Amino acid sequence: MRGLSWKGAILLGLLMVPAVVVADTDGMSADERAEKLAEQQKKQTQTRTEGLSGEAASIVERLATDDWQAINDVVEELEALAAPETLPVLQALSDRRLYFDEQGRVLIEDPATGEYSDAITGETVEVASENLSQPTLTNAIRRGIRPLIGQLQLFSDDVATRRAGAEELADRPRPEMLGRLKELRAEESNPEVLRLLNIAIARLQLDASDSEERLEAVEVIADVRSARMKSELESLLETDAQGDPVEPDAAVREAARDAIEAIEERQSTARFLSDLVYGLSMGSVLLLAALGLAIIFGLMRVINMAHGELLMIGAYTTFIVQNLFALMAPQWFSFYLLAAIPAAFVVTALVGILMERGVIRFLYARPLETLLATWGISLILMQTTRVIFGAQNVRMASPEWFSGSVQLMQGVSLSTSRVGVIAFAFFVVALVWFVMNRTRLGLEVRAVMQNREMAAALGVSANRVDMWTFGAGAGVAGLGGVALSQIVNVGPELGQNYIVDSFMVVVLGGVGNILGSVFSALGLGVFSKFLEPVAGAVLAKILLFVAIIVFIQWRPQGIFALKGRAGDDD
Amino acid sequence: MPASVKSIWGNDMLEITGLNQYYGDSHTLKSVDLRVETGSRTCLMGRNGMGKTTLLRCIMGLLPVASGSIRLQGRELNGLRAQQRARLGVGYVPQGRDIFPQLTVEENLRVPLAGKRSKGIPERVYRLFPVLRDMGRRRGGDLSGGQQQQLAIARALVLEPEILLLDEPTEGIQPNIVREISDVIRRINEEEGMTVLLVEQKLAFARSTADCFSIMNNGQSVASGPMDELGDDIVSQHLTV
Amino acid sequence: MKTRGSIRKTGLACLALGGLLASGVAQSEDNPIKVGILHSLSGTMAISETSLRDVALMTIEDINEQGGLLGRELEPVVKDPASDWPRYAEQARELIERDEVDVIFGAWTSVSRESVLPVLEELNGLMFYPVQYEGEESSRHIFYTGAAPNQQTLPAVDYLMSERGGGAEQFYLVGTDYVFPRTTNRIVRAYLNANGIEDDAIREEYFPFEHSDFQSLVSDIKRFSQSGQTAVINTINGDSNVAFYQELANQGVDSVDVPVMATSVGEEELRGMDAGPLVGHLAAWNYFMSVDSPENEAFTERWAEYVEENDLSGGSDRVTNDPMEATHIGIRMWAQAVLEAGTSDPDAVRQAVPGQCVDAPSGYEICMDEENHHLHKPVLIGEIQPDGQFATVWETDGPIRAEPWSKYLEGSEDKKADWTYPWVCGDCEEPRYDLEL
Amino acid sequence: MLMRQPFVMRLARLHSGFGWAVLLLLTALALVVVPLLNQFVTPDSALYIPDWLVTLTGRFLCLALVALALDLIWGYTGILSLGHGAFFALGGYVMGMHLTHNRMETGTIPNFIQFLGRDDWPWFWVPFQSFWFTAVMVFLVPGALALVFGFFAFRSRVRGVYFAIITQALTFASMLFFYRTETGFGGNTGLTDFRELLGFSVREADTRLVLFMLSAVAVMLSYLLCRYIVTSKLGRVLVAIRDAESRVRFTGYNPLRYKLFVWTVSAMLCGLAGALYVPQTGVINPGEMAPANSIEMAVWVALGGRGTLVGALVGAGTVNGLKTWITAAYPDLWLFVLGGLFIAVTLFLPKGLMGLRQQMAGRSKQ
C-alpha cells in the first residue's frame, strides 16, 4: 500500500487521458448527433399542424393507407414540395404518432396529452383509439423521412432547429436536394450550420461535372475526416473496365487519395484508442469486482468463494433502492444510484460481518476449508436470492444521466455508464486507500495483517479487526455490485461470472497488495481488448488465463510482491 | 476479582504460581513460580531453551497454559486474550523485536493506541527516544537493529503499562545502544515506578539494569532474590554453560 | 442377455393385455392422463422457460375444466432440469419411466432437445417442442411447434434485402455460440450467397452465453456498416441481448441505418429489459402479443386472468410470446389427437397428430403437416416499440410449410422429413421404426 | 524386508481379514446380486432393481471413483485440487469422441465439425475411431495434462491455496475452451446422441448393466491401487509432505517426484471415471468442467473424511444420493442442503463421517 500516493497519482493521470482527449467538435459524431436530434425534437416538435391547404393537404391526405409504397410516394412528393408546414406530420409519422381513422382522416397524436388533432385542419378531434389504424412505417421509409425533416428544419427561424436539420443532411444528403441546399446556404448566417451545409453539399458534389467543384468537395470532406465518407472518396479512385480511372482529373484523384489516407490514419488512431479505452473500461469492471476480494483474500488470506454473491447482494441492494425511489420519491429517481452506494456498502458489509462471526472466524487456521465453507455460504445466498426475488433477472433502469455516451474522438465513444464505472472504480480505490492509510481501522488492519500476535500484544483486538476487515471487504464488494448492476444483468447468478476472474486479478496482482490488484485488473482489461480483435472474445480470455497460470508458475508472488511475509503461503 | 483487590502478598505486581505448559509432547514449563514485586526491575535468567521466552509469552497470553495461575496486581490473567492483558497494563517487547516492517515508525507507535483514550503518542516516549521523532516517516523495516529495539520499547511504552516485559533487548545490538537501553529501563523504573521484567542472558547487562533476579532451569524456577544475592555459585550452577 | 430382453417384452405384453381385458374401461376412467412438463425453472434459461410451464399448466387447466379428455383428467407432472442439459435427459427418463407420462411438453434450447431425443427414442416417448430452431433434424418422437429456419430467419433476410426493408447489401451475423445460431447462420450464409451476396459482405461473430461486453463488436459493426447498407441478424440468446442493444444505442448505431433483426428476442425477453435502446429494431416471429385477432384477444385475456388467479410473479406485467403460443397450440393439437385416436397411447397419438388444425392466436388456422412433424406457420416481422411490444411491419400472405432440412445446405438438399407410413426418417435410409406389437 | 515381500503378500496385507471380507461382499453384491435382481426378478417384486436404478448407481460409482482420486491427492498429500472436473471431463470427452465416431455413418461428420467449414474429420478426431486407442487415451490425455501442469506448478512450489486457485482457473479455462465451437468438440452442446460401444447399443438396459458392473470393478480395483499406494513407503512420504514439506526436502527426498506421481495417477483415475460415466449418462459437455462441479467433488471427500479412501466413497455416495432425492422431492431446497452441508462439515466434522465415531468417542471422554 505504501507508495500508492505517487503510484496512484500516475495511475489517475493515466486514466485521465481519455477524459482530456478533446471531444471532437466537427459535429459529425453519430451518437452525439442522435442525442441532440432527439433533444431538439423534444423541444421543437410541434404536435399539431397550423392547418394545411392546397397541394400539401392533398398529399398528406394520402397517408391514410397501409400500403408502404404509397407512403413512400407521399414522402417523395413532400420532399419535392418542401413545405415547412408539413413538418409536424412528418415528425409524427417518423415517431409512430400518426394515425388514420375509418373516414380517412389523418390524425396526429400529442404524446404529452394523448389528444388527437386532424393533420389537415389542425383541430382537435375526439376519436376512440380502437378505430384508428397506423400507416405502415419501415426503416426504409424513415430513411427517406429523416433528411426531409432535416431539410424542412432548415427553414426554421430557430438556429438550434436549423442546426439539427443541417446535421441530419450532412449525414444523409439526398441528390435531389442539392439545388435547394445551395439556396439555403446562400441565406445561412450561422457559421456552424453553414459548415454542416457545406459538408452536405460537398458530399453531393463529388460527382459534379466541374472538376473544380469536385476538388473543392474532396477538400471539404478531407477536412472532416469522417470514416463514413471514406467509401465515397474511394469511388473516385475506382477504375472502369478498361482500367482507366473513373475520375478524369488527376488533381481530384490526388486530393481524394490524401483524404483517404488522412481518414485511415485517423481510423487506426481511433481503433487503438478505442481498444485502450474499452480495455480500461473492462479493467475497471474487473477491478471493482475484485477489490473486495483483494481485501478479504489478499489481506486476510480467507478464500472467500462467496465473494461473487457479495457482488450480487450489492447489485440487488441497488435494485431495491431503485424500487424504493420509484415508489416513494419518484421526483428524485435519477439519483437513486447515489443512495444505493452507501446502502449497498452497509448491507453487504453486514452480510460479511455475519459470515465472519458465524462461520469464518472458526476457520482462520484452516484456509482450504474456508474455501468449502464459503462456497456453501455462496450456494445458500444464491438460493435465498432466488427464493426472494425469483430466478429471473430483475429489471434495472439506468438513470437518465447515466445513459448515452461520451465521445472521446470520432469513432471512439464510451457509454456514460462505463465512464461512470471507471470513475467509480477510482473513487473506490481512493476510498480504500484512504481507509487503509489514514484511519485508525486501516492502521490496525495493517498491523494485524503483518503480525497478528504482536498487534494483539499491543492491545489491538485482532478478532475485532478481522470482523471489520471482512465487513469492509464485503462492503467494497457491495460497491462493486452497484457498478455491475449498471452494466450487466442482475440475477442470482451474477456473482458466479466474476468469481474466477476476481481470484485471477488478485493472484496476478500479488496477494496482499491492493495496488497490485489495481494494476493487474486494468492490465488484464487492456490486454484482452487488444487481443479480442485478433483472437475473439473467448479465445482472448482463455489465452489470458493460460498466461496467468504460466505467470504464476514463474512468479508465484504476483506482479507486485511485497518483501517479507506476503506472498508466502505456508 | 476486581483489579483493585491486592493479593495476599500485598505488593506483588506479577505473581505466577504452578504454571505448566506443554509444547506438543514436551513439557516446557514445569510448575513455574515467579513473583515480581511492584516497582522492581526483575531479571529472568537461565540458559538457552530453559523456557524464559515461553514464560513471557504465557504471561502475555500468546501461548495457552495447561494449568497454574498468572496474577497481575492480584487479578487473574488466565482466560484473558492478549489484547485484554495489554489493556490491563502488560507491555511486551518481544525477542526479535517484531516491528511492523511495512508501517512507518509513527504508525508503529500508534498501533498501541487502540485501547487508549488518548489518541496521541505520549510526548515522554519521544523524550526517551528522541531519534524516533526524526524517523517518523521511515518504514519500520528500514531501521537498524538498535533503532528497531528502541522503537519496540517505545511502542510498548505508548501503552503506559504497569509492567514491561522485555525479551532479550540487547540481542544483536551495538554496545552504545545497549547502554542507552539500560539507562532507559532504569529511568522509566525509577522516574515512573514502572515494574520491569527482563529476560537477559548477558550477566553484566542484567546486573547493571535489574535489581532482582529469578533463574529458570529446565522449565522450572530454581532461584530468585535481590540482584546482590546473585553470587558466583548460582551463576556457575545455573547460568554458565 | 438376449433372452432376458425377450422375457421382459413378453412379460410386458402379457401384462398389458391382461390389464386391457380385466379392467380396461374402469381403469381409464379412474386414472388421469399424465402429461410431463420439462422446462427449466432455474438457471440461465428460467427467464424464458418459466412462462412456458405456466402457459402449459393454463392450457391443461382449460382442458380439464371442459371435462378432460376421454373422460379422464389431465395431470401435469412438472420437472425442473435447472438449465443443465444432461438433466433434461435424466428427467425425461424419469417422466416416462417412473411417472409414466404419455407426452412431454418441453425443452427450449436445441441442446436440451438433443439431450432428450435419445431418451425419447429409447423409450418410445412423445414430445412437443415449442421453440423456433435451426432445423436439420427430424424425429418420429418430436412434434416441432416452433418455426424452422424457412419460417423465421429466411423470410426475415428476404425482408431486410427488399426495398421495403431497407435493401441491405451487407450482413453482420451475431450469435451466441451454440448450435442454433451456428446452423441458422450457415443456412443464412448459403441463402445470401444464392441471392448474390458474397462472403466478403457477410461477417459472422459468436459469443458465449452470458457475455456482456459488446464494446468491440459494436464498434466493428459500425466500421463494417460504413462500406454499405448493412443489416444485423441477431441470434444472441437470453440475457446477453440487453448488453448488446445497450451498447448499440450507446455507440449511436441507429435502427434506421443498421437495423438489427432478432430471432430470439420476444415479448418475454423484452419484459426483463429497458426497451428504450431497442426501439425501431426488428424481430421475426410467427406470433406477436400485439396481433389483432379474436383468438389472440381470448388468449391474452385468459392469460392475464390465469396470472392473476395464480398470483404468478410479474403480475400484470406478464406477456405472451411466440413460444407460449406454440406451447398452447401444441397442447391443443395433442388433445385433439387424443380424442381422435380414442386413447392417449403415444403410438396412436403420434399417428393422429398430423393433419390436426387449430385456430391459433396468430389469427390463422395452423395445421400440423401431414408428413414432417412441423407446423405450417405465418411469418411476422415486428418493430420493437417503447412499451416492449411489437408493431407488425410485414407478414407473409399465409402459413408457410416448414422445411426442416434446408435446401440451402450442402448435404441436406435431398433429405426428407417424412413420417408417413412406412416411416422414413430424415437422416437415414433405413426405417428406424417397425411395428412390432 | 517389508519391500521384499512377494507382491501377493503385500496385497494381502492391505486389509485386515474383516476388510477383505467386506470388500468381497460388496464386489459380490455389485457383480452377482444386482444383476440377478435386475434380470431374473419380476418388476412387481419388492426385490426388483429397475434399470434406471442400475444406471444411476453405475454413474454414482463413477463419481465415487473421482472422489477416491481426489482423496488420494488431497487427503494424503494435502494438495487440494479444484480442477479434477477437468480431468474427469477429459476422460469423458475421449470416450465421447469414440462414441461419436460410432454413431456417424461412414463418410458423414457431425454438424459441429461442419460449422468449422470442413467436410472431413480433423486430425485430432481421426484416431479415436479405434476403441483401443481411445482406451489408452482415456488415461493418457488427463494424465498428460496433469503431468505438464503439475510439473510446472510443483516445481515452482505453488501449493495450498494458490494451487487450489490455479487448478480452478485451469478447469475454468478448459471449460471456456471446450465451449467454443471452433475448438471442434461440439461446443456448448458437447457430444451426445451416443449409440454403440464395441457393437453393443449403449441405450440397451443390458449394456447399461454391464457398464454398471464395469464401473463397480473399476472402483474396486482403483480402491486397491490407492490403498496400495498409501500403505507403501511412497504413501508415508506423501503424508510427510502433507505435514511438513520442507522437512521432507531437508531429509533428501525430492517432493516434486512424489507429488507429481500421485497427482498424475489421480488425474488418470478421474479420466477412467469420466470414460465410464459418459456412456451411462449419454452426454458429455463443457458444463462438467464448471468450477462448481469440482468444488462439489471436494465436498464429497470432506464429508466422507479425508485421508481414509473409504470416506471418499461414502461421501460421494451420500451427497449424490441426497442430491437425487432432494432435487426431485424438494427442488428449491437442494442448494440450501448442499450449502448447509458444506458449512456443517467444515465446522463440525473436520474428519468427516469416517471420523465421526472417533469424534463422538472424544466427546464422551470429555
Side-chain angles (χ1 to χ4, degrees), chain B:
Chain B
M1 195 189 296
S4 58
V5 180
K6 293 260 171 176
S7 79
I8 43 169
W9 279 279
N11 58 349
D12 283 350
M13 171 59 66
L14 187 72
E15 179 206 335
I16 296 171
T17 43
L19 197 68
N20 280 293
Q21 204 265 351
Y22 297 84
Y23 185 83
D25 289 334
S26 60
H27 196 171
T28 42
L29 295 183
K30 299 170 187 158
S31 191
V32 171
D33 297 318
L34 175 72
R35 287 171 55 196
V36 180
E37 276 179 40
T38 305
S40 73
R41 300 190 297 274
T42 303
C43 184
L44 187 59
M45 305 171 84
R47 297 193 188 101
N48 263 340
M50 290 305 154
K52 297 166 304 206
T53 297
T54 306
L55 181 61
L56 284 203
R57 289 171 62 82
C58 287
I59 298 171
M60 195 63 238
L62 299 175
L63 284 176
V65 296
S67 63
S69 121
I70 305 172
R71 288 163 186 271
L72 180 74
Q73 294 181 319
R75 175 172 178 164
E76 180 61 60
L77 293 183
N78 263 349
L80 296 182
R81 293 169 195 276
Q83 68 258 26
Q84 289 165 310
R85 300 183 194 208
R87 289 172 194 195
L88 283 177
V90 185
Y92 179 51
V93 180
Q95 194 174 20
R97 306 176 281 269
D98 280 0
I99 292 298
F100 301 110
Q102 310 284 333
L103 300 189
T104 63
V105 168
E106 197 199 320
E107 284 171 334
N108 264 287
L109 291 174
R110 296 178 68 88
V111 171
L113 294 174
K116 310 246 43 133
R117 287 260 168 76
S118 117
K119 289 300 166 205
I121 300 162
E123 199 49 35
R124 106 198 132 88
V125 171
Y126 284 132
R127 262 203 321 273
L128 288 168
F129 301 103
V131 65
L132 296 180
R133 197 195 296 271
D134 309 329
M135 298 200 158
R137 300 227 157 263
R138 297 264 297 272
R139 284 208 311 181
D142 296 344
L143 300 186
S144 73
Q147 288 164 337
Q148 286 194 358
Q149 188 62 59
Q150 290 175 317
L151 176 57
I153 297 173
R155 191 175 60 177
L157 291 179
V158 172
L159 266 173
E160 301 180 309
E162 302 285 338
I163 179 168
L164 185 65
L165 313 178
L166 293 127
D167 198 348
E168 307 222 11
T170 60
E171 197 189 15
I173 287 172
Q174 60 270 48
N176 60 326
I177 298 195
V178 170
R179 225 168 299 129
E180 222 173 282
I181 287 173
S182 174
D183 285 348
V184 166
I185 293 172
R186 279 206 309 272
R187 263 174 75 191
I188 52 178
N189 174 260
E190 283 158 8
E191 288 170 17
E192 299 171 30
M194 188 181 293
T195 312
V196 174
L197 175 59
L198 176 74
V199 167
E200 186 53 63
Q201 300 249 40
K202 291 182 191 137
L203 204 54
F205 182 85
R207 284 207 157 109
S208 67
T209 314
D211 56 8
C212 295
F213 74 92
S214 180
I215 295 180
M216 288 182 71
N217 199 350
N218 205 14
Q220 286 170 302
S221 21
V222 289
S224 62
M227 192 50 88
D228 43 17
E229 287 178 13
L230 180 64
D232 290 345
D233 51 336
I234 303 180
V235 170
S236 62
Q237 189 182 348
H238 298 296
L239 297 180
T240 45
V241 184

Side-chain angles (χ1 to χ4, degrees), chain D residues 29-275:
Chain D
L29 186 71
L31 298 186
V32 181
V33 179
V34 170
L36 280 178
L37 291 183
N38 175 246
Q39 293 279 318
F40 297 105
V41 173
T42 48
D44 45 358
S45 157
L47 289 173
Y48 174 66
I49 295 179
D51 296 343
W52 63 264
L53 191 58
V54 171
T55 305
L56 193 69
T57 319
R59 287 169 47 207
F60 282 5
L61 283 171
C62 297
L63 300 177
L65 182 51
V66 175
L68 195 68
L70 191 59
D71 193 23
L72 187 63
I73 190 76
W74 186 25
Y76 287 93
T77 323
I79 299 169
L80 173 57
S81 160
L82 294 183
H84 265 44
F87 303 130
F88 176 72
L90 279 179
Y93 265 102
V94 167
M95 181 52 80
M97 287 166 84
H98 177 64
L99 292 167
T100 303
H101 270 295
N102 289 352
R103 117 176 121 96
M104 300 310 296
E105 286 153 47
T106 16
T108 61
I109 49 166
N111 60 358
F112 56 81
I113 290 179
Q114 293 171 27
F115 294 152
L116 307 179
R118 44 188 313 154
D119 43 21
D120 56 346
W121 295 96
W123 62 267
F124 53 87
W125 269 86
V126 176
F128 288 93
Q129 267 163 338
S130 150
F131 175 79
W132 297 111
F133 180 80
T134 306
V136 172
M137 283 300 142
V138 160
F139 295 98
L140 280 194
V141 171
L145 176 66
L147 191 70
V148 172
F149 181 85
F151 175 75
F152 287 108
F154 297 140
R155 198 194 51 162
S156 326
R157 302 194 190 163
V158 176
R159 70 201 128 179
V161 167
Y162 276 80
F163 190 80
I165 290 173
I166 64 165
T167 48
Q168 187 181 31
L170 172 77
T171 187
F172 189 68
S174 322
M175 179 181 78
L176 292 177
F177 185 70
F178 276 82
Y179 262 132
R180 295 172 76 242
T181 304
E182 281 88 352
T183 314
F185 296 104
N188 197 293
T189 314
L191 308 175
T192 183
D193 194 16
F194 304 134
R195 290 162 206 230
E196 275 184 358
L197 182 57
L198 289 174
F200 298 99
S201 164
V202 293
R203 296 177 183 180
E204 283 292 322
D206 298 345
T207 319
R208 293 282 176 86
L209 182 65
V210 173
L211 284 169
F212 160 79
M213 285 153 67
L214 279 176
S215 307
V217 170
V219 171
M220 221 57 82
L221 291 179
S222 305
Y223 172 76
L224 288 176
L225 174 71
C226 292
R227 183 88 197 157
Y228 185 82
I229 291 175
V230 302
T231 52
S232 66
K233 177 161 152 276
L234 171 70
R236 288 193 296 279
V237 176
L238 293 178
V239 174
I241 290 173
R242 180 186 70 188
D243 296 337
E245 179 166 348
S246 42
R247 217 175 296 167
V248 173
R249 203 172 287 128
F250 293 141
T251 51
Y253 287 98
N254 182 4
L256 173 68
R257 279 164 46 205
Y258 295 90
K259 283 158 98 173
L260 205 53
F261 172 74
V262 191
W263 170 248
T264 310
V265 167
S266 175
M268 286 176 159
L269 290 180
C270 275
L272 172 64

Side-chain angles (χ1 to χ4, degrees), chain C residues 48 108 131-132 152 178 180-181 234-238 241 261-266 269 273 283-285:
Chain C
S48 301
W108 179 291
V131 185
Q132 76 338 331
Q152 184 192 26
Y178 77 107
F180 166 66
N234 166 20
T235 40
I236 295 175
N237 223 277
N241 275 302
M261 175 73 75
T263 58
S264 301
V265 176
E269 285 76 19
M273 42 177 127
W285 290 104

Side-chain angles (χ1 to χ4, degrees), chain C residues 65-354:
Chain C
E65 256 165 43
Q66 291 163 18
L69 298 174
L70 310 171
R72 295 163 69 188
E73 281 246 308
L74 299 188
E75 183 190 314
V77 184
V78 180
K79 296 268 166 178
D80 173 16
S83 310
D84 179 14
W85 318 139
R87 286 185 62 182
Y88 278 87
E90 260 170 55
Q91 301 197 329
R93 180 178 296 279
E94 276 174 30
L95 280 172
I96 299 173
E97 282 193 337
R98 272 203 272 180
D99 301 313
E100 302 182 321
V101 301
D102 288 323
V103 63
I104 296 173
F105 295 93
W108 179 291
T109 57
S110 296
V111 193
S112 59
R113 186 193 65 249
E114 284 176 11
S115 136
V116 171
L117 186 55
V119 176
L120 295 172
E121 285 180 357
E122 182 188 333
L123 305 173
N124 192 23
L126 182 63
M127 181 166 93
F128 281 72
Y129 173 69
V131 185
Q132 76 338 331
Y133 81 121
E134 68 281 1
E136 301 302 295
E137 179 183 301
S138 177
S139 168
R140 198 173 76 86
H141 302 273
I142 298 180
F143 285 98
Y144 305 79
T145 58
N150 75 313
Q151 293 172 307
Q152 184 192 26
T153 320
L154 296 188
V157 172
D158 275 334
Y159 174 79
L160 289 171
M161 289 192 297
S162 73
E163 197 189 338
R164 175 180 184 143
E169 41 201 34
Q170 301 194 109
F171 284 83
Y172 209 114
L173 315 178
V174 188
T176 302
D177 189 7
Y178 77 107
V179 62
F180 166 66
R182 289 269 180 185
T183 315
T184 305
N185 286 340
R186 268 182 81 209
I187 297 171
V188 167
R189 185 181 281 271
Y191 185 71
L192 288 173
N193 289 343
N195 279 282
I197 292 183
E198 296 302 323
D199 278 341
D200 58 357
I202 305 171
R203 207 163 286 186
E204 217 172 316
E205 281 294 337
Y206 295 94
F207 294 88
F209 278 97
E210 304 279 330
H211 190 79
S212 64
D213 188 344
F214 290 98
Q215 297 181 104
S216 306
L217 171 75
V218 171
S219 72
D220 194 48
I221 291 178
K222 257 172 104 168
R223 275 196 291 274
F224 183 64
S225 69
Q226 273 148 11
S227 48
Q229 187 58 48
T230 303
V232 177
I233 309 252
N234 166 20
T235 40
I236 295 175
N237 223 277
D239 302 344
S240 294
N241 275 302
V242 183
F244 175 56
Y245 283 101
Q246 215 140 42
E247 196 56 43
L248 282 172
N250 285 336
Q251 296 200 28
V253 177
D254 194 314
S255 61
V256 173
D257 300 319
V258 184
V260 177
M261 175 73 75
T263 58
S264 301
V265 176
E267 290 86 345
E268 185 68 20
E269 285 76 19
L270 286 172
R271 193 165 71 86
M273 42 177 127
D274 181 7
L278 288 79
V279 170
H281 289 299
L282 306 165
W285 290 104
N286 309 113
Y287 162 85
F288 289 123
M289 188 183 183
S290 61
V291 162
D292 190 13
S293 77
E295 291 84 5
N296 189 35
E297 204 171 302
F299 180 57
T300 49
E301 269 174 23
R302 171 69 184 118
W303 171 243
E305 188 189 302
Y306 182 82
V307 168
E308 206 188 316
E309 275 170 13
N310 294 278
D311 199 22
L312 299 184
S313 70
S316 56
D317 289 341
R318 289 296 284 267
V319 290
T320 59
N321 66 5
D322 181 288
M324 286 166 73
E325 193 226 13
T327 301
H328 181 70
I329 293 175
I331 298 180
R332 283 169 57 196
M333 264 183 188
W334 170 78
Q336 289 180 13
V338 169
L339 292 178
E340 193 180 305
T343 166
S344 60
D345 177 74
D347 273 322
V349 173
R350 184 174 5 250
Q351 292 176 49
V353 175

